[in-house]
Amino acid sequence: MIRVVVVDDHEVVRKGVIAYLNTEEELEIVGEASDGYTGAALVKELKPDVVLMDLIMENGTGIEATKEIMETETCRIIILTSFYDDEKVFPALEAGAFSYMLKTSSADEIAEAIKKAYRGENVIEPKVATKMMTRFRQDKKPHEELTNREREVLLCIGEGMTNQEISDHLFIGIKTVKTHVSNVLSKLEVQDRTQAAVYVHRNGLLKKES
């Protein structure tokens, strides 16, 4: 049996979710709480496998409770909320939440997410997953989007090489060099080779390669 604790300050929602989950043969609801602080204490006492955690609660948020629980426990925490703005999503995941679902999910989807969490498979609401990918791309620096060959060309530009010198150094045709240079300038969003060279030195790329 998968032992579950449900934490949600909306009694109708909490009781409704529990009523459905109790019909699932694999699941056992071992406890419930209406606020984050009580929920965290309950989880530490009962040691469930999975916790279904609301985010916005008056006495201790889901983020605070998740952070407190994950300091000592190894259970999987599934955030179940109506919110998917950046101020809620990323702090919850950073606090240690394993899955992130919206309350628009069906009862079947919630039950399945609990079973997957128990098996070590997380479930991320598509809207949240999109935000995560966007943030991941934003966190990456432009040169990290370059291909290996484009990176080599960029380093050559940083060393002040001409197209012909790059061609000789990398054993590629001059037309190929020009194509790579054009791609590099575009991906770095710089206007010319001088700005590309400045980018190389500003980010210490030559030092990293040496």
Side-chain angles (χ1 to χ4, degrees):
M1 296 285 285
I2 303 173
R3 303 174 74 252
V4 182
V5 164
V6 179
V7 183
D8 196 306
D9 65 343
H10 290 88
E11 184 175 5
V12 173
V13 174
R14 188 175 72 253
K15 295 297 185 182
V17 169
I18 290 174
Y20 178 81
L21 296 180
N22 276 329
T23 67
E24 293 282 322
E25 294 182 356
E26 298 177 48
L27 308 181
E28 178 187 5
I29 308 303
V30 297
E32 61 178 286
S34 60
D35 64 80
Y37 292 140
T38 303
L42 193 63
V43 168
K44 292 181 179 181
E45 175 189 347
L46 299 177
K47 310 291 184 183
D49 301 303
V50 180
V51 179
L52 209 55
M53 179 75 71
D54 189 15
L55 265 189
I56 306 303
M57 295 176 283
E58 290 187 4
N59 189 21
T61 68
I63 293 173
E64 294 168 338
T66 296
K67 189 177 298 184
E68 182 178 343
I69 291 168
M70 295 311 296
E71 286 178 354
T72 59
E73 307 303 314
T74 58
C75 58
R76 309 289 194 185
I77 297 179
I78 299 175
I79 298 297
L80 183 62
T81 180
S82 302
F83 302 93
Y84 60 96
D85 51 294
D86 292 1
E87 290 76 15
K88 305 292 189 305
V89 172
F90 298 116
L93 295 175
E94 289 166 358
F98 187 73
S99 294
Y100 198 107
M101 301 184 69
L102 297 181
K103 288 184 177 179
T104 51
S105 303
S106 69
D108 284 342
E109 289 172 332
I110 295 172
E112 185 59 28
I114 292 173
K115 295 172 187 176
K116 286 186 175 181
Y118 182 73
R119 297 195 300 264
E121 306 170 27
N122 58 0
V123 175
I124 304 295
E125 163 69 33
K127 292 179 181 178
V128 174
T130 299
K131 285 180 174 289
M132 291 173 64
M133 290 305 298
T134 300
R135 178 165 173 171
F136 173 75
R137 287 193 294 268
Q138 290 174 341
D139 287 344
K140 294 186 69 174
K141 292 188 175 181
H143 66 267
E144 294 176 334
E145 301 290 343
L146 301 178
T147 65
N148 289 336
R149 179 61 84 186
E150 288 169 350
R151 186 180 177 85
E152 291 174 339
V153 169
L154 174 60
L155 295 178
C156 289
I157 292 174
E159 292 178 346
M161 294 186 189
T162 64
N163 283 352
Q164 187 59 59
E165 288 172 334
I166 295 174
S167 174
D168 296 337
H169 180 69
L170 298 179
F171 303 104
I172 55 178
I174 193 70
K175 289 185 179 180
T176 302
V177 171
K178 291 179 179 180
T179 298
H180 286 316
V181 169
S182 177
N183 290 339
V184 167
L185 298 183
S186 175
K187 290 183 179 181
L188 296 186
E189 297 183 355
V190 296
Q191 296 181 350
D192 52 40
R193 300 168 71 96
T194 300
Q195 289 184 1
V198 170
Y199 179 96
V200 170
H201 292 281
R202 181 175 295 163
N203 287 275
L205 300 184
L206 292 177
K207 294 178 182 178
K208 293 177 182 180
E209 293 294 323
S210 60

